Amino acid sequence: LFLTIPPQQLLWLSVLGGFFFLVTGFLLSQSLALGLVFALPGALSPRVALMILRRSRSLKFKDQLNGALRTVTNSLRSGFSLPKAFQLIAADMPKPISQEFGIVVQELRLGIEIEEGLENLLERLPSQDLELVVTSVAISNSVGGNLAEVFDRISTTIRERTRIEGRIDALTSQGKIQGLMVSALPVFLGLALYWIDPELMSPMFERTIGLVILCVMGLMECLGYFFIYKITNIEV
């Protein structure tokens, strides 16, 4: 992700986040059990933030890949070699694709093969579209062929897939939002009831049967959201 913080700091951020949310939850509710419930998202927040950054970077790379393939196609038709086309991507295109192809260019300068450099790129950023590029380069180097024409067809395929994915996302967006609302509503409703009438909700956090019910409810909420997500998540 090209982050400058050491990996060890993620552990300390998780500990501090969990402790901060634990103290905040305990001060607001005067209940250690509810404080522990608050501590869990606080401890997981650095890892969740890292996953969000990774997903955002992967989506940006996917959006920029089509333009990079057009650059490679035009460069090959102009007489440039494939490593030179990669250098143009690293120099002219925005982040993150320029960063990733910059790593590929550095690896090629160190003497590794083009297929290995692209496979390393695919390992860093798994993508079906990038896998098509890596496979086409490997086949072209083995049996020959017009790489410019191959990249042009891959670019067309990626554009059509992106168009279809956008249409599917638009059709399934209502179901995804409903899943989020249905999953989050019981949590906010329980917190609101605890804030309005603590005596009514305190048995849920102070008695064993109440904690068991909360755990079962949380598990059912997670299963419900998972099933809704699988129904509305259509792969192209």
Side-chain angles (χ1 to χ4, degrees):
L1 294 180
F2 288 83
L3 297 177
T4 57
I5 62 173
Q8 293 83 357
Q9 288 189 4
L10 289 176
L11 176 61
W12 292 111
L13 289 175
S14 299
V15 173
L16 292 176
F19 179 75
F20 176 77
F21 276 76
L22 172 64
V23 174
T24 303
F26 178 76
L27 293 177
L28 292 177
S29 63
Q30 299 298 319
S31 173
L32 182 60
L34 191 59
L36 292 175
V37 173
F38 273 88
L40 181 60
L44 295 178
S45 56
R47 185 173 295 274
V48 173
L50 192 66
M51 292 174 59
I52 293 174
L53 289 175
R54 182 181 299 166
R55 177 174 174 81
S56 175
R57 191 170 186 271
S58 179
L59 291 176
K60 287 182 180 179
F61 180 87
K62 183 179 179 180
D63 294 337
Q64 296 169 352
L65 183 59
N66 193 18
L69 289 178
R70 290 198 299 268
T71 300
V72 173
T73 301
N74 295 332
S75 299
L76 293 177
R77 288 174 176 173
S78 300
F80 290 103
S81 62
L82 194 57
K84 183 63 178 179
F86 291 165
Q87 292 180 15
L88 293 177
I89 296 174
D92 298 336
M93 295 198 67
K95 300 177 181 179
I97 197 167
S98 61
Q99 296 172 327
E100 294 297 334
F101 274 91
I103 295 176
V104 175
V105 171
Q106 293 296 330
E107 290 177 341
L108 295 179
R109 289 174 179 173
L110 293 175
I112 71 171
E113 298 294 333
I114 295 179
E115 297 91 333
E116 185 178 354
L118 292 177
E119 287 176 358
N120 294 336
L121 174 60
L122 180 62
E123 185 177 355
R124 293 193 300 270
L125 287 172
S127 169
Q128 292 182 352
D129 299 332
L130 184 59
E131 187 175 359
L132 287 175
V133 177
V134 175
T135 304
S136 64
V137 172
I139 293 175
S140 177
N141 288 339
S142 299
V143 300
N146 189 351
L147 266 181
E149 185 68 23
V150 172
F151 283 150
D152 192 19
R153 293 182 180 179
I154 294 176
S155 178
T156 303
T157 302
I158 293 175
R159 283 198 305 269
E160 288 299 315
R161 179 183 293 175
T162 302
R163 182 183 64 83
I164 296 174
E165 287 179 349
R167 186 173 182 181
I168 291 175
D169 289 339
L171 293 174
T172 58
S173 59
Q174 182 179 359
K176 293 178 181 179
I177 294 175
Q178 288 176 347
L180 288 174
M181 293 297 294
V182 170
S183 301
L185 183 60
V187 178
F188 287 106
L189 183 59
L191 293 176
L193 289 175
Y194 188 85
W195 183 269
I196 295 171
D197 192 353
E199 295 182 358
L200 178 65
M201 294 293 294
S202 57
M204 297 292 293
F205 304 102
E206 297 175 355
R207 298 181 182 179
T208 304
I209 185 64
L211 295 176
V212 171
I213 292 174
L214 288 177
C215 293
V216 173
M217 290 172 58
L219 178 61
M220 294 177 68
E221 287 288 331
C222 293
L223 288 176
Y225 176 76
F226 173 76
F227 289 136
I228 294 175
Y229 174 79
K230 295 298 290 185
I231 292 173
T232 56
N233 186 29
I234 302 174
E235 296 183 0
V236 179

